[in-house]
Amino acid sequence: VQLQASGGGLVQAGGSLRLSCAASGRTFSGYYMAWFRQAPGKEREFVAAINWSGGSTAYADSVKGRFTISRDNAKNTVYLQMNSLKPEDTAVYYCARSKYGGWRTSGVVGDDMDYWGKGTQVTVSS
């Protein structure tokens, strides 16, 4: 599976961006997808996830109410709509495909991902 993230850019605080992650290759629809991010000098962190059908989503507390994850299995694409962006949202955003259809009860972890995209830079100015 190849994952290609796009849609990043520079935006002012309070603005919006929509990230896309297009998958090619092997099966996309049977697995949950997630977005992670990594800011300079910080560890990678979970942002949002969506299960194989799109019927269940999960978010990090820091983005709840501002970000929305969705997927279109017919287009092999997952999206991350980011609203009310803050300077602390600045990071490289990565999409990833899980080995499973849904996440553990303990939550989404990077170790459950088997394919990663190259990332797209999001910069939010104050």
Side-chain angles (χ1 to χ4, degrees):
V1 174
Q2 291 79 44
L3 302 175
Q4 181 64 53
S6 61
L10 173 64
V11 64
Q12 288 189 333
S16 298
L17 283 174
R18 188 194 195 204
L19 305 185
S20 299
C21 176
S24 60
R26 301 182 66 184
T27 304
F28 169 84
S29 61
Y31 304 90
Y32 85 82
M33 300 291 294
W35 289 93
F36 290 79
R37 67 187 182 187
Q38 187 166 21
K42 295 188 176 181
E43 293 187 352
R44 183 184 64 199
E45 64 175 358
F46 164 71
V47 176
I50 187 165
N51 77 332
W52 70 274
S53 68
S56 184
T57 57
Y59 297 92
D61 288 343
S62 59
V63 306
K64 276 181 184 176
R66 300 187 299 122
F67 290 12
T68 302
I69 189 171
S70 60
R71 69 189 294 165
D72 185 336
N73 287 340
K75 294 183 178 180
N76 285 354
T77 302
V78 63
Y79 305 96
L80 185 68
Q81 178 67 43
M82 305 186 296
N83 298 328
S84 302
L85 282 161
K86 305 175 181 180
E88 51 264 43
D89 294 317
T90 295
V92 177
Y93 283 70
Y94 299 91
C95 63
R97 195 203 81 167
S98 172
K99 309 170 190 175
Y100 312 109
W103 44 89
R104 307 168 187 238
T105 54
S106 57
V108 178
V109 295
D111 287 347
D112 284 347
M113 306 297 141
D114 56 0
Y115 294 99
W116 293 83
K118 287 189 177 181
T120 184
Q121 176 71 47
V122 171
T123 304
V124 184
S125 63
S126 56

